[in-house]
Amino acid sequence: YRWTLLGLAALVLLPVLFVLVVVLVIDPNAYRGQIESAARTRLGIPLTLQGDLRWRVWPVLSIEAGAGRIGADDANPEEVLARWQTLQFGARWRGLLRRELQIDRLQVNALQLQLRVDAQGRGNWQQWLDDAGRDRAGSARAASSQRLQVAALRLRDAGIEWSDARGDSRWQFDALTFDAG
């Protein structure tokens, strides 16, 4: 009876101890450059994460970043495609242990997406997608290793602004909530 209780206690305490060691030993800020670089190489877009990256242990173990943006690189300082207040993503354990970042869920709070089409019909997102496609087409190895997989996506209090200079039209959606898996 005593050994059964000790075995059950070990089964409960080992995962807790593992999470504690990961949170205390692995600094998510060490991955900031890797995350921003992966966004540029895999998605072809400039990503800026502001503030410290920190662990969140409840309700699921994840990493949280403060405000950030996609777009607005040195070539196009005024062109912001998206902004957010907080970004939270769960990292797969095996990836972290191999010092790789593999996202299995992503939650974005207060996302503001700004989609614009110019008079020639080109979207403000098009150049980054074209650049990413060219980079991936450059080598078969890059194409196979550049896959980004996100198992679940949650948007909270999101807004989308659409403007099309060809027809001088503008749409705006606010307070959107979206869940996909």
Side-chain angles (χ1 to χ4, degrees), residues 126-142:
Q126 192 64 48
Q127 179 181 350
W128 294 315
L129 292 178
D130 292 346
D131 291 348
R134 275 193 296 276
D135 290 346
R136 282 193 297 268
S139 75
R141 181 179 172 270

Side-chain angles (χ1 to χ4, degrees), residues 67-135:
R69 70 178 184 269
I70 294 174
D73 61 4
D74 294 335
N76 301 309
E78 300 298 318
E79 193 61 50
V80 175
L81 182 62
R83 296 179 193 277
W84 59 86
Q85 284 182 355
T86 60
L87 175 73
Q88 183 178 346
F89 53 93
R92 291 187 176 154
W93 287 105
R94 279 190 256 173
L96 286 175
L97 295 175
R98 290 183 297 195
R99 299 184 109 24
E100 298 172 356
L101 183 63
Q102 299 173 354
I103 298 171
D104 67 350
R105 64 193 162 280
L106 176 66
Q107 179 170 328
V108 186
N109 297 316
L111 172 70
Q112 294 301 312
L113 190 58
Q114 300 168 350
L115 304 173
R116 293 184 180 85
V117 178
D118 63 19
Q120 291 75 36
R122 189 155 174 85
N124 62 339
W125 62 89
Q126 192 64 48
Q127 179 181 350
W128 294 315
L129 292 178
D130 292 346
D131 291 348
R134 275 193 296 276
D135 290 346

Side-chain angles (χ1 to χ4, degrees), residues 38 40-43 135-136 141-148:
R40 179 163 303 275
T41 58
R42 293 180 183 171
L43 302 175
D135 290 346
R136 282 193 297 268
R141 181 179 172 270
S144 65
S145 68
Q146 298 294 327
R147 254 184 277 156
L148 177 66

